[in-house]
Amino acid sequence: MSFQGNVEILLVEDNPNDLELALHALKKHNLANNIQIARDGVEALDFLFGEGSFEGRLVTDTPKVILLDLKLPRVNGIAVLERVKADPRTRNIPVVVLTSSREDPDVATCYKLGVNSYIVKPVDFEQFVKAVQQLGLYWLLLNQPPQV
Amino acid sequence: MFATAAIERRVAVGFLIVLIGVIVIGGITLLSAHQLTTNNALVVHTLDVLNELENLLIIAIDAENGHRGYVITGSQEFLEPYNIAVAGLETQLDRIDAMTSDNPSQQSRAEDLRSLFVQRMDILRQTIELRDEQGADAAIRRVATGEGKALGDQIRTLIADMEAEENALLVQRSADAESSSRFAVVLTLFLVGGLLALLTAVYVVIQRDSRSRRRAEIVLQDARNYAESIVNTVRHPLLVLSEDLRVRTANRAFYDTFQTSAAQTEGRYLYELGGKEWDIGPLRALLTDILPHNTPLEDFEVEADFFQIGRRVMLLDARRLYREGNHTTQLLLAVEDVTDRKQAEAQIRQLNHDLEARAQHLEQANKELEAFSYTVSHDLRAPLRAIDGFSRILIEDFAPSLDASAQRYLGIVQQNALQMGALIDDLLAFSRLNRQSMRKQPVDLAKLAHEVIDALKSEVEGEGADHQVEFVVGDLPVCEADPALLRQVFSNLFSNAVKYSRKRDHAVITVGCVNDTNDVNDANTANGSNGKQPVIYVKDNGVGFDMRYASNLFGVFQRLHRAEDYEGTGVGLATVQRIVQRHGGRIWAEAEPDKGATFYFTLAENGENADHDGNGGTT
């Protein structure tokens, strides 16, 4: 898995369709360049904490936002969220939960754990923009200077 | 008993008093009789003294007469009375002396009399001697001196004095005798009277006591009959046991229950009754323990094969009975046949067990349902997302290479995927309603209605609706309810009203409250409504519906309109009904095609929300 130093979005999603739809929405607005993809909870944690296949990556080199699906193989999204929010080095990374339903009771659990926002899948760009606005990351993520 | 002892003591005291009275009367009577006899004897004595004094006088006269005749005649014949008198004089004087020994004055007179008689007899004898020696004349001269006569007169006077004294005594003693005899009579009469009164009193007391005793006996007999009838009426078998656990008596229920008789029971030891099924070590120990320690035996369970009646479970209670009458201690043993109850209890336990198992099963099923719901919400939705998402990409990014009908088909695919997503969402929300816990609190319905209306208005405006919707909020009460659930109710009812009146140029949606359900023309209000609980209504002037299909109104996925006319999943009203029911209320509707619909609901069956005087007017 390749990675660069300036990852801006960590997208954690196991469903290939959902992943493709999300990437499509972001790509359309030129946001796919600095996206790191993780396909399960373990991979996400490895990336964030510089473990496993991401051995040697600096923990302090945090993404600007994490888009986190809850239903994940191996380690689920709730567990990932818990670990991220428990560690002082990663605690301040904004986490946006991807949920399949507005009625999902897990969303309430996530808010208790300190999640910052949620997006109902499929991730369309409008929703993403709304969430990013809520997080105050709007300028950082969307109005970045044109790519060289 | 204390009362009996008191009565007996009173009777004894009464008789003692009567006895003493009789003794006193007897003594007094005896004493007065004695007094009477003494007084009478004294009277007789006085009469005797008088008699003897008379005799003495006669002696004196005889002596003088004899002497006088002899002096005159000198004939010895005349001297005879004189000689007799002289011979008897001394004796007579002694007699009088003796008889007057109790009286000193008479005694001294008697002494004087004796000396007078001595002198007088000397003179008489000298005169007679003078007659013998010197003849009649000398003797007559001697008499004529008067010396003798003076002495004779003195004697007579003295005797008369003594007689007077005795006569005075006689009068005195007669009076004494009479008064003492009168006193005795009066006293006797008085005492007899008192005794009679006393006897009467004792009689009355005895009579009264015996009457009250008779009454007490009647009461006692009554109590005995009462106790006996109770004992015989009691449906539980009862045994009275003596100290050595021998059966004294048993009641009818005992004979009936154990199918035995008095002959087979009374006088026998408890542990020998029937087939010795009562011979239970611990029971015997406990029963024996009751007597000295007065420890009641309670709910002692005996399960045994009873003679005649088979295997039964008996519950025993025992108490010590102290019999005042004969100072004996007995045992009252109450028996209860709890076989049927035990069986029923076992049955209930079994039922409870089954119920618990079923409840567990149900809980398990609920959990499975929840897991299923979760799966539905996550896994079923994933393919829908793909269908919708990629259809959208096709429409948005590849439109130029698709002809019109292909684009339309993709639009239908996408729309159906969205519709199915909405169905899944509604269904999940509906099924969660039953599991969600209710948090009741006072809710200002008017405020809530305004909030919901504001949210709905912005939504409607966002859709760019081309018709005008007017909301009218009447008086609404404050109710005990779950605010989130109630918001859902208003939200569903209002959006329904908006949806079904969108073909009106001027849609009017009214929410209000009526207190009297009689105002509401509803067939369902007859049952359970007390007419005082607030009824909330939401009224629109939309398309309404045919009341013939009203029964389908609140069913899940039940719709009264075609999907192409009015979109919807058919879950909204089912959700509203479920929420209202969870609050203990009811919901119903009335409508007419093309004339609008009104939905009514209550929140609590017992009208506990009646803190409102609302008269559902429009504003």
Side-chain angles (χ1 to χ4, degrees):
Chain A
M1 184 82 48
S2 65
F3 64 91
Q4 297 141 305
N6 59 342
V7 165
E8 301 204 321
I9 299 171
L10 171 63
L11 177 57
V12 193
E13 175 61 85
D14 68 315
N15 184 315
N17 291 331
D18 285 344
L19 181 60
E20 195 177 340
L21 288 170
L23 284 175
H24 180 84
L26 297 173
K27 205 179 285 170
K28 269 180 92 172
H29 296 83
N30 296 322
L31 272 174
N33 290 341
N34 298 323
I35 292 178
Q36 176 66 45
I37 294 157
R39 302 299 304 276
D40 61 39
V42 176
E43 222 174 278
L45 290 172
D46 281 352
F47 172 79
L48 285 167
F49 293 98
E51 292 160 1
S53 52
F54 291 95
E55 183 101 46
R57 193 182 168 275
L58 288 175
V59 183
T60 47
D61 193 4
T62 55
K64 291 206 168 59
V65 64
I66 302 172
L67 295 178
L68 179 65
D69 184 24
L70 292 179
K71 200 159 172 284
L72 294 169
R74 299 209 279 176
V75 173
N76 70 23
I78 303 268
V80 172
L81 182 63
E82 270 178 326
R83 175 118 187 249
V84 166
K85 289 296 174 188
D87 195 309
R89 295 168 300 177
T90 53
R91 185 183 293 156
N92 293 323
I93 309 172
V95 180
V96 177
V97 157
L98 305 177
T99 173
S100 56
S101 167
R102 193 172 280 115
E103 309 282 339
D104 196 330
D106 284 344
V107 173
T109 313
C110 290
Y111 271 113
K112 269 181 213 149
L113 288 173
V115 84
N116 304 78
S117 183
Y118 75 92
I119 292 176
V120 178
K121 294 196 281 187
V123 180
D124 74 33
F125 190 72
E126 303 307 320
Q127 275 200 55
F128 177 75
V129 168
K130 223 185 253 179
V132 164
Q133 275 176 336
Q134 275 176 13
L135 300 177
L137 291 171
Y138 187 75
W139 295 105
L140 248 151
L141 280 177
L142 301 181
N143 287 359
Q144 47 190 299
Q147 298 275 309
V148 182
Chain B
M1 277 152 82
F2 179 75
T4 316
I7 289 166
E8 279 163 2
R9 200 162 50 228
R10 258 199 326 256
V11 169
V13 167
F15 270 106
L16 196 68
I17 290 170
V18 170
L19 192 70
I20 289 167
V22 168
I23 288 169
V24 167
I25 288 173
I28 287 170
T29 309
L30 240 111
L31 271 173
S32 54
H34 176 72
Q35 184 70 34
L36 205 61
T37 314
T38 312
N39 285 346
N40 281 340
L42 283 173
V43 170
V44 170
H45 178 72
T46 311
L47 287 172
D48 281 349
V49 171
L50 280 172
N51 202 31
E52 292 306 324
L53 282 172
E54 210 56 39
N55 286 342
L56 186 64
L57 195 60
I58 289 168
I59 285 172
I61 291 167
D62 280 354
E64 266 181 49
N65 285 347
H67 142 267
R68 202 174 291 133
Y70 184 69
V71 168
I72 295 168
T73 61
S75 161
Q76 277 299 319
E77 194 183 334
F78 283 98
L79 212 52
E80 192 61 27
Y82 168 78
N83 286 334
I84 293 168
V86 169
L89 178 64
E90 199 62 31
T91 321
Q92 188 63 23
L93 279 171
D94 284 348
R95 194 175 290 151
I96 286 170
D97 206 17
M99 282 176 93
T100 57
S101 60
D102 59 333
N103 191 331
S105 65
Q106 291 293 73
Q107 193 82 59
S108 80
R109 282 200 193 94
E111 288 303 312
D112 291 348
L113 204 57
R114 187 180 288 270
S115 69
L116 283 175
F117 263 107
V118 168
Q119 292 173 47
R120 176 68 175 140
M121 283 308 152
D122 277 351
I123 292 171
L124 286 182
R125 196 178 58 244
Q126 287 166 12
T127 314
I128 290 168
E129 282 169 7
L130 213 59
R131 174 68 174 85
D132 287 343
E133 290 161 9
Q134 299 169 20
D137 290 341
I140 288 170
R141 274 193 308 272
R142 179 61 198 247
V143 172
T145 58
E147 190 185 1
K149 187 180 181 294
L151 274 171
D153 289 345
Q154 274 181 23
I155 285 169
R156 265 188 294 275
T157 307
L158 206 54
I159 287 174
D161 283 354
M162 285 183 81
E163 279 181 350
E165 169 97 28
E166 286 302 323
N167 272 327
L169 274 174
L170 184 64
V171 169
Q172 174 69 41
R173 280 171 182 171
S174 294
D176 280 357
E178 199 176 328
S179 93
S180 76
S181 90
R182 196 179 299 126
F183 176 72
V185 167
V186 168
L187 191 69
T188 306
L189 278 175
F190 181 75
L191 284 172
V192 165
L195 213 55
L196 277 174
L198 202 64
L199 268 172
T200 309
V202 168
Y203 173 78
V204 166
V205 167
I206 288 172
Q207 185 71 12
R208 209 176 47 203
D209 285 355
S210 91
R211 210 178 302 140
S212 72
R213 189 175 295 200
R214 225 174 15 247
R215 235 182 350 245
E217 269 167 17
I218 288 167
V219 167
L220 205 67
Q221 183 63 39
D222 198 44
R224 200 175 292 136
N225 291 344
Y226 180 67
E228 225 160 79
S229 67
I230 285 177
V231 163
N232 276 324
T233 312
V234 164
R235 278 163 55 204
H236 295 314
L238 292 174
L239 281 178
V240 177
L241 304 174
S242 58
E243 287 182 355
D244 56 354
L245 304 187
R246 222 187 258 263
V247 178
R248 302 279 296 242
T249 51
N251 69 345
R252 215 175 52 213
F254 183 86
Y255 301 131
D256 289 349
T257 303
F258 293 96
Q259 291 179 19
T260 181
S261 62
Q264 288 173 300
T265 309
E266 281 177 9
R268 298 183 63 184
Y269 288 106
L270 174 70
Y271 41 82
E272 282 180 349
L273 289 180
K276 299 202 173 179
E277 54 265 10
W278 298 95
D279 191 6
I280 301 158
L283 175 63
R284 233 160 117 169
L286 281 168
L287 288 177
T288 317
D289 215 33
I290 292 173
L291 290 169
H293 301 114
N294 197 14
T295 48
L297 175 77
E298 271 167 2
D299 295 342
F300 185 86
E301 199 177 295
V302 175
E303 186 173 357
D305 283 312
F306 285 91
F307 191 65
Q308 295 280 18
I309 58 170
R311 189 147 200 92
R312 311 294 287 179
V313 185
M314 300 289 175
L315 218 53
L316 306 186
D317 283 78
R319 288 274 187 295
R320 190 173 76 168
L321 290 180
Y322 182 71
R323 300 289 291 269
E324 180 102 27
N326 46 12
H327 303 289
T328 54
T329 309
Q330 298 180 343
L331 278 175
L332 179 67
L333 184 66
V335 185
E336 189 184 357
D337 186 346
V338 292
T339 315
D340 294 344
R341 202 212 299 169
K342 283 265 163 193
Q343 272 170 3
E345 278 171 7
Q347 234 163 359
I348 287 169
R349 265 198 300 278
Q350 183 60 43
L351 281 174
N352 264 334
H353 182 77
D354 292 353
L355 214 60
E356 258 168 51
R358 213 167 293 177
Q360 261 175 10
H361 191 73
L362 214 61
E363 207 176 318
Q364 182 65 31
N366 250 337
K367 273 184 188 153
E368 277 166 16
L369 194 68
E370 230 164 298
F372 171 74
S373 302
Y374 193 80
T375 304
V376 165
S377 81
H378 287 86
D379 297 0
L380 213 58
R381 207 187 302 271
L384 281 176
R385 276 199 306 273
I387 295 167
D388 169 54
F390 289 106
S391 305
R392 192 193 297 263
I393 290 170
L394 276 177
I395 292 166
E396 287 176 359
D397 296 0
F398 299 90
S401 52
L402 294 172
D403 66 14
S405 57
Q407 284 190 34
R408 195 175 73 84
Y409 293 151
L410 278 172
I412 293 170
V413 168
Q414 196 198 357
Q415 195 193 327
N416 275 282
L418 286 174
Q419 169 78 1
M420 190 168 170
L423 272 172
I424 291 169
D425 269 348
D426 284 357
L427 193 59
L428 283 176
F430 179 71
S431 74
R432 204 163 34 243
L433 268 182
N434 293 328
R435 301 193 300 273
Q436 218 167 307
S437 63
M438 290 229 300
R439 278 184 291 272
K440 278 195 177 185
Q441 62 189 73
V443 178
D444 183 343
L445 292 190
K447 190 164 168 257
L448 186 68
H450 279 298
E451 283 171 16
V452 173
I453 288 164
D454 288 346
L456 202 60
K457 268 182 175 165
S458 62
E459 210 172 289
V460 170
E461 280 158 16
E463 285 168 7
D466 54 354
H467 70 299
Q468 196 191 346
V469 180
E470 185 196 348
F471 282 96
V472 179
V473 180
D475 281 349
L476 284 171
V478 173
C479 283
E480 276 292 314
D482 183 312
L485 291 177
L486 214 55
R487 180 183 293 273
Q488 180 86 54
V489 168
F490 274 152
S491 176
N492 287 12
L493 288 177
F494 291 169
S495 52
N496 264 5
V498 169
K499 182 163 71 184
Y500 291 108
S501 56
R502 71 172 164 224
K503 288 182 180 164
R504 293 277 181 270
D505 293 334
H506 183 77
V508 181
I509 295 161
T510 312
V511 54
C513 171
V514 284
N515 254 8
D516 191 352
T517 51
N518 294 334
D519 290 354
V520 183
N521 182 20
D522 168 47
N524 301 326
T525 48
N527 46 12
S529 273
N530 57 15
K532 283 192 177 168
Q533 94 198 96
V535 177
I536 320 293
Y537 66 86
V538 177
K539 183 179 167 66
D540 65 56
N541 59 345
V543 291
F545 56 85
D546 191 332
M547 281 299 279
R548 278 181 295 175
Y549 311 115
S551 59
N552 293 334
L553 211 50
F554 301 102
V556 183
F557 296 140
Q558 298 277 355
R559 303 206 62 213
L560 300 186
H561 298 275
R562 279 179 297 191
E564 56 259 48
D565 293 337
Y566 297 99
E567 73 291 343
T569 57
V571 180
L573 283 179
T575 302
V576 168
Q577 186 188 42
R578 187 61 57 88
I579 291 171
V580 166
Q581 282 173 347
R582 284 202 68 190
H583 280 83
R586 296 181 306 112
I587 183 163
W588 66 98
E590 58 185 46
E592 218 178 300
D594 220 29
K595 292 204 175 153
T598 309
F599 286 85
Y600 301 93
F601 68 90
T602 62
L603 283 177
E605 204 56 75
N606 54 8
E608 64 186 9
N609 299 321
D611 55 339
H612 166 69
D613 60 345
N615 43 358
T618 53
T619 53

